[in-house]
């Protein structure tokens, strides 16, 4: 008798964007299986004073207004891992450039992934610097100011 694996934890966040839009974010760790299906049921309770019913907001319009987006989390890689791991987009790009075996689609994907990994690493670095600049054993003021200016220049592109 086989056991059914326990469901993976589902994290959710609710954000109001403006008077007419809100966002529900669902975050979960994939199981690793080739195919995983999830069923999410959402119940919206609206006050009667909004005058929303089947006549004022038809079912087809409601479903047409729902947008689903899938966003994958950026992998976190240490510098050594980025330089040596077979899973590293940098290592894959270098190999494809040497051999000429990578398709244009794969090269573009890995280049975008590399930029996301580097952006995440820079963000974590900047957070660490901010912590060090404000912490009990702070970096020198001039060093913090220089790092801050550099960080904002990079953010503006």
């Amino acid at each position: 008798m086989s056991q059914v694996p326990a469901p993976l934890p589902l994290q959710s966040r609710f954000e109001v964007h403006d008077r007419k839009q809100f966002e529900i974010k669902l975050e979960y760790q994939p199981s690793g299986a080739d195919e995983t299906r999830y069923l999410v049921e959402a119940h919206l309770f609206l006050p009667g004073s909004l005058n929303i019913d089947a006549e004022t907001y038809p079912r087809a319009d409601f479903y047409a207004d729902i947008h689903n987006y899938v966003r994958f989390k950026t992998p976190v890689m240490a510098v050594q891992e980025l330089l040596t791991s077979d899973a590293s987009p940098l290592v894959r790009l270098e190999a494809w450039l040497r051999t000429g075996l990578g398709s244009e689609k794969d090269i573009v994907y890995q280049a975008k992934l590399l930029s996301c990994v580097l952006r995440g690493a820079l963000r974590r670095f900047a957070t660490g610097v901010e912590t060090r600049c404000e912490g009990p054993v702070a970096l020198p003021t001039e060093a913090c100011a220089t790092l801050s200016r550099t960080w904002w220049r990079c953010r503006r592109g």
Side-chain angles (χ1 to χ4, degrees):
M1 184 166 160
S2 65
Q3 288 184 327
V4 176
L8 297 169
L10 180 72
Q11 298 174 344
S12 64
R13 289 187 305 239
F14 180 85
E15 296 177 18
V16 175
H17 286 273
D18 56 36
R19 290 182 52 196
K20 296 183 179 185
Q21 294 184 15
F22 63 89
E23 176 179 11
I24 300 171
K25 291 183 180 181
L26 304 173
E27 188 175 304
Y28 61 90
Q29 184 68 34
S31 66
D34 287 344
E35 184 176 315
T36 305
R37 293 177 183 254
Y38 293 88
L39 172 66
V40 177
E41 293 184 10
H43 301 272
L44 301 177
F45 298 94
L46 304 171
S49 61
L50 290 178
N51 195 27
I52 295 176
D53 58 28
E55 290 181 16
T56 61
Y57 195 32
R59 180 183 299 244
D61 291 350
F62 173 78
Y63 284 108
D65 287 341
I66 294 177
H67 299 282
N68 297 315
Y69 298 104
V70 175
R71 183 177 300 149
F72 297 105
K73 284 211 164 263
T74 303
V76 176
M77 294 185 162
V79 173
Q80 190 60 32
E81 189 178 7
L82 190 60
L83 295 173
T84 60
S85 171
D86 289 339
S88 164
L90 179 61
V91 170
R92 289 179 180 169
L93 286 168
E94 287 176 332
W96 290 337
L97 287 173
R98 275 195 308 273
T99 62
L101 295 177
S103 70
E104 181 180 350
K105 180 181 176 183
D106 289 338
I107 290 171
V108 168
Y109 176 81
Q110 292 298 322
K112 288 179 179 180
L113 181 59
L114 177 61
S115 68
C116 290
V117 168
L118 290 173
R119 184 183 65 201
L122 281 172
R123 188 177 294 138
R124 286 187 303 280
F125 173 76
T127 301
V129 168
E130 285 176 1
T131 303
R132 292 276 315 273
C133 286
E134 298 166 358
V137 183
L139 291 173
T141 306
E142 182 58 33
C144 288
T146 301
L147 287 167
S148 179
R149 283 192 304 274
T150 304
W151 169 246
W152 284 109
R153 252 187 258 132
C154 289
R155 285 188 60 114
R156 285 184 291 207

